[in-house]
């Protein structure tokens, strides 16, 4: 089995999925060229953000058509940002339907499964779900302000609105995450996401979803991975 990933950006998501996949699928290794996959490989390509990833969906199906039956699963992992997860899913599904019709990939690979994963509202929203990292008694005034506005320990980060003063939900969620890490003397950047790449971080997010049903969009990814033979890492 081989896995093909089209992810939102060219920094954070490519590094995160490249780190997470081998934790869940033991023995899987990456390939830099989609044509080089043999067995137990995965390939990751950046969608270049919105709206470029719409064109990249078509390009990815063309790639998959070049190597019929080489990949069993195609994951499209996209932020919902200011849209609801349902609106974003429908938008991506329309692009998928168009690409399927244009490339006729089902003729050469009838068993290919396409999985649309909507990161609600962005991948940093998922990272906010680690209850062990978020301080219950912040010393930072800024983090305390954020926590009073919306406590991500008790409440589902995917339901967090925009704090007045921020342009978008995604920009607020990113800043909240940075403050959460600063409190622990951890640095987070888009190009260097740090500890979120570790197996224990994935395990903590999976555990929270299992216990609370929070992070439902992330839970969809975990569920699909479990259905196709993945095994989630456990907390240390």
């Amino acid at each position: 089995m081989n896995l093909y990933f089209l992810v939102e950006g060219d920094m954070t998501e490519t590094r995160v999925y490249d780190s997470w996949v081998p934790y869940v699928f033991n023995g899987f290794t990456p390939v830099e060229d989609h044509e080089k996959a043999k067995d137990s490989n995965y390939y990751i390509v950046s969608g270049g953000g919105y709206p470029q990833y719409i064109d990249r969906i078509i390009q990815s199906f063309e790639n998959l058509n070049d190597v019929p039956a080489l990949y069993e699963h195609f994951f499209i992992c996209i932020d919902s940002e200011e849209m609801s997860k349902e609106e974003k899913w429908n938008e991506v599904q329309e692009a998928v339907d168009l690409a399927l019709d244009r490339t006729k990939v089902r003729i050469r690979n009838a068993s290919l499964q396409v999985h649309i994963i909507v990161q609600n509202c962005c991948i940093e929203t998922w990272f906010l779900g680690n209850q062990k990292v978020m301080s219950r008694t912040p010393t930072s005034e800024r983090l305390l302000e954020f926590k009073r506005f919306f406590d991500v320990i008790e409440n589902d980060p995917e339901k967090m609105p925009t704090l007045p003063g921020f342009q978008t939900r995604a920009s607020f969620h990113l800043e909240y995450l940075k403050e959460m890490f600063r409190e622990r003397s951890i640095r987070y950047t888009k190009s260097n996401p740090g500890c979120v790449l570790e197996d224990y971080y994935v395990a903590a997010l999976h555990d929270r979803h299992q216990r609370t049903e929070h992070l439902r969009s992330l839970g969809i990814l975990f569920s699909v991975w479990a259905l196709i033979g993945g095994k989630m890492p456990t907390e240390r």
Side-chain angles (χ1 to χ4, degrees):
M1 179 176 73
N2 297 310
L3 312 175
Y4 189 114
F5 289 84
L6 172 66
V7 301
E8 172 85 17
D10 57 4
M11 291 189 294
T12 311
E13 285 86 356
T14 52
R15 294 199 63 188
V16 168
Y17 284 93
D18 191 33
S19 296
W20 286 12
V21 170
Y23 297 145
V24 179
F25 297 94
N26 186 40
F28 272 56
T29 56
V31 290
E32 294 185 1
D33 184 334
H34 70 279
E35 296 181 340
K36 301 298 184 183
K38 295 180 179 179
D39 186 40
S40 298
N41 292 133
Y42 63 94
Y43 174 72
I44 300 176
V45 61
S46 167
Y50 182 84
Q52 289 87 344
Y53 64 71
I54 299 298
D55 291 332
R56 299 285 173 85
I57 290 173
I58 295 175
Q59 293 170 9
S60 291
F61 275 113
E62 290 172 345
N63 287 344
L64 290 164
N65 221 8
D66 290 339
V67 287
L70 190 57
Y71 291 89
E72 289 84 352
H73 298 276
F74 176 27
F75 289 86
I76 304 172
C77 307
I78 300 297
D79 292 344
S80 66
E81 296 199 0
E82 300 310 294
M83 300 173 72
S84 71
K85 60 180 182 295
E86 292 80 13
E87 289 171 333
K88 179 56 69 173
W89 191 94
N90 289 334
E91 178 187 76
V92 176
Q93 184 63 57
E94 286 182 13
V96 168
D97 291 340
L98 176 64
L100 286 171
D101 181 64
R102 183 176 299 182
T103 61
K104 310 299 182 187
V105 71
R106 294 290 191 204
I107 295 175
R108 304 188 73 188
N109 189 350
S111 62
L112 177 69
Q113 295 186 48
V114 181
H115 311 281
I116 300 172
I117 305 299
V118 178
Q119 299 164 172
N120 185 28
C121 76
C122 58
I123 200 164
E124 283 81 17
T125 309
W126 288 355
F127 303 155
L128 283 166
N130 191 326
Q131 292 166 310
K132 292 183 178 179
V133 174
M134 177 60 194
S135 173
R136 294 186 177 274
T137 56
T139 59
S140 160
E141 286 295 328
R142 189 164 175 79
L143 183 57
L144 189 57
E145 176 192 4
F146 292 169
K147 188 172 184 287
R148 285 171 178 161
F149 175 74
F150 192 96
D151 186 349
V152 293
I153 295 177
E154 301 297 333
N155 303 307
D156 185 355
E158 291 195 15
K159 295 182 178 179
M160 184 164 67
T162 310
L163 179 70
F166 286 86
Q167 272 194 315
T168 64
R169 285 181 70 209
S171 63
F172 173 49
H173 290 201
L174 172 60
E175 190 59 29
Y176 199 139
L177 182 73
K178 287 181 176 180
E179 286 296 328
M180 182 179 92
F181 282 143
R182 284 191 192 108
E183 184 77 9
R184 302 291 190 187
S185 299
I186 301 170
R187 186 169 180 265
Y188 177 92
T189 66
K190 282 284 193 179
S191 60
N192 185 14
C195 64
V196 303
L197 305 178
E198 301 297 330
D199 59 347
Y200 71 83
Y201 209 99
V202 187
L205 298 180
H206 179 255
D207 177 70
R208 177 164 183 178
H209 173 69
Q210 293 288 95
R211 288 185 292 101
T212 66
E213 294 191 1
H214 291 174
L215 304 172
R216 289 191 175 186
S217 67
L218 178 56
I220 291 171
L221 176 64
F222 289 159
S223 294
V224 173
W225 280 354
L227 283 171
I228 64 176
K231 185 177 180 181
M232 300 305 303
T234 55
E235 288 199 87
R236 299 173 188 172

